[in-house]
Amino acid sequence: MSGDSRNGGGSGASPAELRARIEQTRQELGDTVAALADKADVKSRAQEKAARIKDRTLHRTTAATDRMAGSAAVRTAAVAGGALLAGVLVLRRRRTKARVRPYVLRTKKTGRPLAKAAAKARRACRNKGHR
């Protein structure tokens, strides 16, 4: 085992060589720790990936817009699509408003709707002989 360069050197290594090996090992460990820290930093990796996707999408959108910028048919289709989308949104809103149920009053004690609680109370009175 003496003389093995991987274990820190043998008896023939001078103090200067040992210091150089220690410094090199520290540098390698520092690089390894930095690489592991980069892998563990999920937030920054996700932000970098999002930035790459954003840049790629912007580039593709710009290229497609440049290709079709002068076309009157594209402008007409865009206006028609926007009008269609607005119409669909208006119709959906009207349908949704029509389906909204009125607010139902509930009793504090049981949480039942007030109409059901009143009907139950009337039946109880009738069963006891009250009218």
Side-chain angles (χ1 to χ4, degrees):
M1 282 224 143
S2 67
D4 186 9
S5 64
R6 296 186 86 196
N7 290 334
S11 60
S14 69
E17 290 175 350
L18 290 174
R19 285 188 192 100
R21 287 182 191 164
I22 290 171
E23 187 58 37
Q24 181 182 359
T25 303
R26 282 185 182 154
Q27 185 66 35
E28 290 172 359
L29 283 173
D31 293 344
T32 303
V33 168
L36 289 172
D38 287 343
K39 276 189 168 185
D41 192 6
V42 176
K43 183 177 178 181
S44 68
R45 288 175 54 199
Q47 288 173 343
E48 290 171 4
K49 186 172 182 176
R52 283 195 309 267
I53 291 171
K54 180 181 173 186
D55 290 343
R56 186 175 59 209
T57 304
L58 181 63
H59 176 69
R60 288 179 181 174
T61 304
T62 304
T65 304
D66 290 345
R67 280 194 308 264
M68 298 182 186
S71 175
V74 171
R75 284 191 295 254
T76 304
V79 170
L84 179 65
L85 179 64
V88 167
L89 291 175
V90 167
L91 288 176
R92 280 189 67 189
R93 184 172 174 95
R94 285 184 183 173
R95 283 184 61 197
T96 303
K97 279 186 175 180
R99 285 188 287 173
V100 173
R101 293 183 180 178
Y103 179 72
V104 177
L105 294 176
R106 297 185 178 276
T107 62
K108 287 183 182 179
K109 190 172 185 180
T110 62
R112 288 187 180 146
L114 195 57
K116 286 185 180 179
K120 185 176 179 182
R122 281 193 302 271
R123 279 194 306 274
C125 284
R126 271 189 245 130
N127 289 341
K128 289 183 179 180
H130 303 287
R131 293 220 173 206

